[in-house]
Amino acid sequence: DQQVKQNSPSLSVQEGRISILNCDYTNSMFDYFLWYKKYPAEGPTFLISISSIKDKNEDGRFTVFLNKSAKHLSLHIVPSQPGDSAVYFCAASANFGNEKLTFGTGTRLTIIP
Amino acid sequence: DTAVSQTPKYLVTQMGNDKSIKCEQNLGHDTMYWYKQDSKKFLKIMFSYNNKELIINETVPNRFSPKSPDKAHLNLHINSLELGDSAVYFCASSQGEGGYNSPLHFGNGTRLTVT
């Protein structure tokens, strides 16, 4: 049972444009959401998070939006840069992160120079 | 100055063998984890330890045995390796139980291939 879904396995975006990565979840107990970024042959690195008490969190070029009623979150990267090319994983947990993380299968983002 | 380091990076072995993967973190975190990323790219938790004590043990065959000699180390021993054990294994750490404002820090993974 895949509780966190990233339905787009890959996405290509022109440099300088906005990248939008999407994530859907099914478990209504999830209240804490994170995005991790992964380069080849490296481990995932934390990018940004949001708790269910917010609907938006911003950190520089990265913004995460949460729509609880739709059980949907998205990561916006603007402007996109070549170094953003990586696999992005969405993850979720209950109890504000104090329970195990459930990850999506990732979206490979390619920024075209 | 690696924060979470795991060895070896690659491990190729035959079915039936026993192997270990080591993990060390120098972040001062008190919780460590093992995650498995299978061929379908699912990243799933296997175990977590808090201050050397097992706190999460997912449905993992008991051929897999984690060992935490101290809170900076979490090793994974696998007995009687099977083809289906081929995957990338990631070690991770966090402060507390990885809750709000305490994200996981991952190692670079160990690619295990069982032939």
Side-chain angles (χ1 to χ4, degrees):
Chain A
D1 176 29
Q2 203 178 334
Q3 298 185 63
V4 177
K5 298 178 187 178
Q6 293 177 256
N7 291 319
S8 299
S10 62
L11 176 68
S12 294
V13 173
Q14 206 78 32
E15 183 179 358
R17 300 280 185 122
I18 183 171
S19 297
I20 300 175
L21 296 100
N22 293 304
C23 178
D24 297 294
Y25 62 96
T26 57
N27 188 340
S28 56
M29 299 301 290
F30 288 151
D31 55 15
Y32 182 51
F33 306 88
L34 308 90
W35 286 93
Y36 280 81
K37 173 179 177 179
K38 184 184 180 304
Y39 292 119
E42 293 184 11
T45 56
F46 170 71
L47 194 55
I48 193 168
S49 65
I50 188 168
S51 75
S52 57
I53 60 174
K54 293 185 173 183
D55 54 20
K56 175 183 173 181
N57 189 26
E58 195 171 348
D59 183 2
R61 297 186 297 113
F62 302 91
T63 303
V64 56
F65 295 92
L66 175 63
N67 182 334
K68 290 187 289 292
S69 59
K71 293 193 177 72
H72 176 85
L73 65 155
S74 60
L75 175 68
H76 292 211
I77 307 172
V78 55
S80 300
Q81 298 174 354
D84 297 330
S85 294
V87 177
Y88 289 79
F89 289 95
C90 170
S93 68
N95 196 20
F96 291 103
N98 286 320
E99 294 184 14
K100 60 176 184 172
L101 279 180
T102 300
F103 282 83
T105 50
T107 297
R108 181 177 300 279
L109 175 66
T110 302
I111 304 302
I112 303 162
Chain B
D1 194 20
T2 309
V4 181
S5 59
Q6 51 184 112
T7 54
K9 191 171 178 65
Y10 300 97
L11 186 53
V12 181
T13 188
Q14 290 185 323
M15 283 175 56
N17 285 347
D18 302 339
K19 289 293 177 185
S20 292
I21 307 172
K22 295 185 175 182
C23 180
E24 176 182 3
Q25 55 96 3
N26 62 8
L27 295 164
H29 290 165
D30 48 20
T31 306
M32 295 186 71
Y33 310 78
W34 279 108
Y35 277 80
K36 177 181 179 181
Q37 186 178 33
D38 61 22
S39 57
K40 294 182 180 176
K41 305 300 181 189
F42 283 107
L43 196 60
K44 289 184 181 173
I45 190 167
M46 300 173 69
F47 302 101
S48 80
Y49 269 74
N50 180 268
N51 271 320
K52 304 193 301 173
E53 202 173 312
L54 181 67
I55 55 172
I56 292 177
N57 182 354
E58 287 298 290
T59 309
V60 174
N62 50 20
R63 297 181 294 103
F64 290 79
S65 53
K67 284 193 171 46
S68 181
D70 56 59
K71 73 174 196 177
H73 295 84
L74 180 63
N75 303 322
L76 183 65
H77 189 75
I78 315 170
N79 288 330
S80 304
L81 278 155
E82 299 178 357
L83 292 176
D85 298 331
S86 296
V88 182
Y89 292 84
F90 288 99
C91 178
S93 72
S94 68
Q95 191 54 39
E97 294 178 16
Y100 195 60
N101 286 331
S102 181
L104 270 60
H105 294 251
F106 284 87
N108 286 338
T110 296
R111 182 175 293 277
L112 171 65
T113 304
V114 182
T115 61

